[in-house]
Amino acid sequence: MQIIAPTSWSENASLHPDASIALSNNFADKHLLILADSKEELDGSFDYPQYVDFVESNLFSELTDASMSKHEQACSAHD
């Protein structure tokens, strides 16, 4: 997994101990956090929209004053 970010962003492991990728732009007070779940860890009862709803509801229940940009399903030759 990789991401290309501007030089104004830097790694920030303090965002979450289990993050696959954690970046911050402290000047703009913006952060990017990726928590990956393997398909094997899921019981197969989720389709993509249901999984997104599940993750969003759990994530936002623990945050205050949070926002999220539009998400898109990642595609790969291995899906």
Side-chain angles (χ1 to χ4, degrees):
M1 192 178 319
Q2 67 183 19
I3 189 165
I4 298 171
T7 58
S8 57
W9 289 74
S10 59
E11 289 185 58
N12 184 349
S14 68
L15 289 176
H16 195 285
D18 297 327
S20 298
I21 296 176
L23 302 173
S24 290
N25 178 332
N26 291 325
F27 180 74
D29 196 24
K30 295 188 181 234
H31 311 279
L32 171 80
L33 179 65
I34 297 176
L35 299 169
D37 292 318
S38 71
K39 289 182 181 181
E40 292 78 25
E41 292 176 346
L42 302 174
D43 64 8
S45 62
F46 289 106
D47 63 12
Y48 179 71
Q50 291 169 327
Y51 178 72
V52 170
D53 290 341
F54 172 76
V55 170
E56 285 178 0
S57 64
N58 284 322
L59 179 63
F60 280 94
S61 69
E62 297 182 23
L63 300 174
T64 57
D65 200 25
S67 67
M68 183 171 59
S69 60
K70 180 183 173 194
H71 57 271
E72 296 180 20
Q73 183 172 2
C75 297
S76 75
H78 303 290
D79 286 346

